[in-house]
């Protein structure tokens, strides 16, 4: 799977929307997962609809917009290895 999977930063766009700056191993596929409970087991976190992305070359950096009514925690999960 990806050797890198991290959220580099979170930008507050206002109005309850945010842009996540994500980084993964170029060519590997990732999904953003979320939970209202940061201590929940990883297998209970749900994939954010439309978040599956192949990390682009050469930097592996991309952005994804999110919005949440209440507190929400996010993690980047590798789903397929880089070729």
């Amino acid at each position: 799977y990806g050797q890198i999977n991290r959220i580099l930063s979170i930008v507050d766009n206002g109005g309850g929307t945010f842009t996540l700056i994500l980084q993964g191993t170029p060519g590997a596929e990732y999904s953003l997962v979320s939970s209202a409970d940061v201590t929940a087991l990883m297998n209970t976190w749900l994939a954010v609809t439309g978040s599956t992305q192949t990390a682009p070359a050469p930097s592996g950096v991309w952005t994804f917009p999110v919005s949440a009514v209440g507190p929400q925690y996010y993690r980047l999960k590798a789903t397929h290895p880089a070729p």
Side-chain angles (χ1 to χ4, degrees), residues 3 13-14 17-18 21 23 26-27 38 40 45 53-55 59 66 68 73:
Q3 296 176 6
N13 302 320
T17 66
F18 303 86
I21 316 304
Q23 184 178 31
V38 73
W45 289 50
Q53 171 78 32
T54 299
S59 67
V66 296
Y73 300 94

Side-chain angles (χ1 to χ4, degrees), residues 4-82:
I4 303 168
N5 61 332
R6 58 182 158 225
I7 297 173
L8 295 176
S9 64
I10 302 171
V11 177
D12 185 348
N13 302 320
T17 66
F18 303 86
T19 298
L20 304 181
I21 316 304
L22 309 166
Q23 184 178 31
T25 301
E29 185 178 273
Y30 297 88
S31 292
L32 187 66
V33 294
S34 68
S35 174
D37 179 3
V38 73
T39 65
L41 295 175
M42 187 66 179
N43 65 352
T44 66
W45 289 50
L46 300 175
V48 176
T49 302
S51 71
T52 301
Q53 171 78 32
T54 299
S59 67
V61 175
W62 73 100
T63 62
F64 189 79
V66 296
S67 59
V69 176
Q72 199 68 8
Y73 300 94
Y74 296 95
R75 292 179 177 170
L76 194 57
K77 179 181 178 183
T79 55
H80 293 289

